[in-house]
Amino acid sequence: MINLRYHIVSIVAVFLALGIGLALGSTFVDSFLVNELEDQVNEFGLEKALAIEEKLDAEEMVFEINAELDEIKAVVRETLPEGKLDGSSWIMLAPESLKNSEIFDLEMLLSRTSSEFYGFLWVNESLDLLDIKARNAVATELRLSSNSLAAVTKGLTFFIAKTLLDAKNIEGVTGLGSEPVITRLIRAGVLTYQGSNESQIGNSNIGLLLVSDVANKALNQNLFLPLLKKIVDEGLAGSTVAIEMATAVSLTDEFVKEVRSDPQLASSVSTVNDVNSFMGQIVFLSFLENLPLVTHYDEKLFIDTVKSK
């Protein structure tokens, strides 16, 4: 006969065996899992190290490729302009605020061509055609009959356009005597000249590179855009290019957008807003070579539009 003590011993024995089994099993499983996880961590570490090494190798290769490209670009920048623009001459008209290294890069580019660069005509920062004193000075020097904003703008744009782009036909039209118009504008506080060929300005026809930026919005509206319209009206736009410089505070192209948005100007005046990049400089030289073909270059769209006069 089985008594209660026997049942108790049996139950204890079962649970004891189960506990021993679980303890032994969990120890084995835990050990197996730990080893497996350690192997995976080590494998991941090796893969990470290999990935880092491959990344460093790729970065070194990219650096070497970029260095080679820079060398190629430097050679192209030096050799491409050679022999270009033979027989042409150029002058830059720009706000005085753009006296920075970027605009002088254009001078360096032109100096490597066969063209002649007459220098810079800087529009004085203090010029404000909304100021009656400034208009009085201009009206006096140019012998204008009125000092109104409309009259001064009309007279100023006419004389600048004629002096730079139609010098041979300016005599007898201006009524200013023998003194050069540029000299009068410098005395009136409108312009300052930087270059070595001031005496040649007005004695030969020159291609005009009109440079500005978004920071000179008032000057663009009150002088540069009216000047471009006068140049087009006078039929003198064949050697004129409007250029926009990117600034530290803005990379927009508001100035050339204004030109491109005017149907008359867009079909007569070439524009470019990326003359400091490698591609921009190549296109810029192509622009000058192909004038009076009118082209618009935008670095975001490459060649925006191409129109023939």
Side-chain angles (χ1 to χ4, degrees):
M1 180 176 179
I2 299 174
N3 57 28
L4 181 61
R5 180 181 297 177
Y6 176 81
H7 285 291
I8 293 173
V9 170
S10 297
I11 292 171
V12 170
V14 169
F15 280 104
L16 181 61
L18 181 61
I20 293 171
L22 287 173
L24 291 175
S26 63
T27 300
F28 173 77
V29 171
D30 286 347
S31 176
F32 175 79
L33 289 176
V34 168
N35 291 336
E36 183 68 21
L37 290 174
E38 285 180 348
D39 289 342
Q40 290 182 9
V41 168
N42 291 336
E43 185 178 351
F44 176 75
L46 290 174
E47 291 177 353
K48 181 181 178 181
L50 287 173
I52 292 174
E53 185 177 352
E54 291 175 355
K55 179 176 179 291
L56 292 175
D57 290 341
E59 288 177 348
E60 184 177 356
M61 184 179 297
V62 169
F63 178 81
E64 291 175 355
I65 292 173
N66 286 336
E68 291 177 0
L69 286 175
D70 288 341
E71 291 179 3
I72 293 172
K73 288 178 180 180
V75 172
V76 172
R77 279 194 174 103
E78 289 293 328
T79 58
L80 182 66
E82 293 179 359
K84 304 289 186 182
L85 309 177
D86 188 29
S88 64
S89 55
W90 306 92
I91 193 166
M92 286 191 206
L93 179 67
E96 195 173 30
S97 60
L98 288 184
K99 283 186 176 180
N100 56 48
S101 60
E102 289 186 348
I103 198 170
F104 290 110
D105 288 345
L106 286 182
E107 179 188 18
M108 291 295 295
L109 184 65
L110 289 172
S111 70
R112 294 196 292 269
T113 69
S114 297
S115 66
E116 187 170 5
F117 182 62
Y118 282 2
F120 298 89
L121 280 172
W122 302 109
V123 180
N124 292 337
E125 285 185 291
S126 58
L127 177 66
D128 180 6
L129 294 181
L130 298 178
D131 182 1
I132 185 64
K133 292 182 180 179
R135 296 204 303 272
N136 279 338
V138 175
T140 299
E141 287 295 341
L142 298 182
R143 299 179 184 177
L144 303 178
S145 59
S146 171
N147 64 0
S148 69
L149 178 60
V152 170
T153 301
K154 182 179 179 180
L156 194 56
T157 56
F158 171 81
F159 283 116
I160 293 176
K162 281 290 186 180
T163 298
L164 297 180
L165 303 174
D166 195 26
K168 64 182 180 180
N169 293 322
I170 199 172
E171 294 181 8
V173 176
T174 65
L176 299 180
S178 59
E179 188 174 33
V181 173
I182 293 299
T183 302
R184 289 179 173 273
L185 293 177
I186 291 173
R187 188 165 59 233
V190 176
L191 304 173
T192 56
Y193 177 69
Q194 180 180 347
S196 58
N197 291 309
E198 184 178 351
S199 61
Q200 294 298 315
I201 300 174
N203 294 325
S204 60
N205 292 331
I206 306 174
L208 176 61
L209 306 176
L210 202 165
V211 187
S212 191
D213 67 354
V214 68
N216 285 281
K217 188 172 183 178
L219 190 61
N220 296 338
Q221 293 294 329
N222 296 328
L223 180 60
F224 287 158
L225 289 172
L227 174 60
L228 289 174
K229 290 179 181 179
K230 175 58 69 174
I231 288 172
V232 172
D233 289 341
E234 295 290 330
L236 303 173
S239 57
T240 301
V241 178
I243 301 167
E244 177 144 6
M245 284 288 182
T247 66
V249 297
S250 175
L251 299 176
T252 60
D253 49 2
E254 293 299 323
F255 175 53
V256 293
K257 278 184 179 178
E258 291 276 1
V259 178
R260 295 168 184 169
S261 64
D262 184 299
Q264 185 184 28
L265 294 181
S267 62
S268 305
V269 178
S270 294
T271 63
V272 57
N273 64 336
D274 185 33
V275 289
N276 297 113
S277 70
F278 175 69
M279 182 58 69
Q281 290 187 355
I282 292 177
V283 173
F284 173 67
L285 287 177
S286 176
F287 272 24
L288 301 189
E289 270 201 308
N290 291 308
L291 289 173
L293 181 70
V294 177
T295 314
H296 300 287
Y297 175 72
D298 187 312
E299 79 279 6
K300 296 183 290 295
L301 301 174
F302 191 54
I303 299 298
D304 186 18
T305 58
V306 179
K307 300 174 182 177
S308 179
K309 287 186 66 178

